[in-house]
Amino acid sequence: MINSFEGKAPVIGDGSYVHPSADVLGNVGIGSGCWIGPGARLRGDYGRIEIGDNSSVEDNCVIHARPDEQTTIGAWVTLGHSAIVHNATVHDWALLGMGSIVSDWAVVGEWAVVGEGAVVIQGQKIPAHSIAVGTPARVLGKKIEEAYKAKWREFKKVYVDLAARYPAGLT
Ligand SMILES: CC(C)(COP(=O)(O)OP(=O)(O)OC[C@H]1O[C@@H](n2cnc3c(N)ncnc32)[C@H](O)[C@@H]1OP(=O)(O)O)[C@@H](O)C(=O)NCCC(=O)NCCS
């Protein structure tokens, strides 16, 4: 469902798709070309949520923000199944693995990868182009290289394409 809350309605860009079982509530901005999957919950009641173009929010993700604060998710970001982002910032092209948690005031840098099940704790900064795994998340020595980016650019496009396929494809 896409609902207003206290007069604030979600603003959803052209070519973005919100699955019927997802909830997008209140003060939420979603760019164009985004895919919001089944069971996702984006709750902009006492805080705001902003998502850039071409990002995917897979099944059962939860996004929320603290009172009068904002969760910001950039462009071409992938939120794997059941990821949680709470009052945090995730920069462009980042990947949050399945079941990961990014907590209050944390920042995930551009092209950073958060491994499956990791917890980026309150205020933690994950540098751009790094990989962080575990709880609390620890940054591995290796960096995201061009080959990895090429693979993920393709995968991220699959979700932009899905956003176009779903309106007619879901029967
Ligand atoms: C996180 C990720 C980048 C790691 O890839 P990688 O660099 O090839 O990692 P490796 O397999 O070489 O592992 C490196 C280290 O991290 C550890 N590790 C990897 N993934 C981990 C995880 N999810 N949790 C805890 N530790 C993990 C490995 O055990 C290894 O530890 P060691 O150095 O002590 O032996 C990769 O698994 C990934 O992209 N995951 C996200 C997948 C996803 O959720 N996609 C979205 C859904 S569609």
Side-chain angles (χ1 to χ4, degrees):
M1 289 192 300
I2 300 173
N3 285 335
S4 298
F5 181 75
E6 293 180 345
K8 287 183 180 151
V11 176
I12 300 174
D14 293 342
S16 283
Y17 178 78
V18 177
H19 187 274
S21 72
D23 289 331
V24 179
L25 176 72
N27 195 357
V28 178
I30 297 175
S32 60
C34 295
W35 188 82
I36 311 297
R41 305 274 186 264
L42 284 65
R43 183 156 62 86
D45 41 18
Y46 48 60
R48 174 169 169 75
I49 296 166
E50 184 72 42
I51 300 180
D53 296 340
N54 302 316
S55 288
S56 59
V57 177
E58 296 181 3
D59 321 55
N60 297 326
C61 287
V62 174
I63 307 175
H64 193 223
R66 292 170 68 102
D68 303 317
E69 296 195 43
Q70 178 165 318
T71 284
T72 305
I73 292 172
W76 292 101
V77 171
T78 304
L79 270 62
H81 313 281
S82 297
I84 297 173
V85 184
H86 195 269
N87 210 74
T89 299
V90 181
H91 286 289
D92 296 352
W93 295 100
L95 163 65
L96 304 187
M98 299 175 270
S100 61
I101 297 174
V102 180
S103 192
D104 296 352
W105 309 294
V107 178
V108 176
E110 195 172 310
W111 271 115
V113 176
V114 174
E116 302 93 324
V119 178
V120 180
I121 62 172
Q122 290 197 352
Q124 188 174 6
K125 310 278 187 278
I126 304 300
H129 294 87
S130 66
I131 301 172
V133 298
T135 303
R138 68 183 165 97
V139 175
L140 301 178
K142 48 178 140 182
K143 288 282 175 194
I144 296 299
E145 306 286 355
E146 192 47 49
Y148 183 97
K149 288 186 181 180
K151 185 181 83 173
W152 273 93
R153 278 195 191 95
E154 289 310 308
F155 185 70
K156 286 166 184 282
K157 276 190 203 132
V158 169
Y159 271 96
V160 175
D161 292 345
L162 264 192
R165 290 166 61 188
Y166 255 79
L170 189 71
T171 56

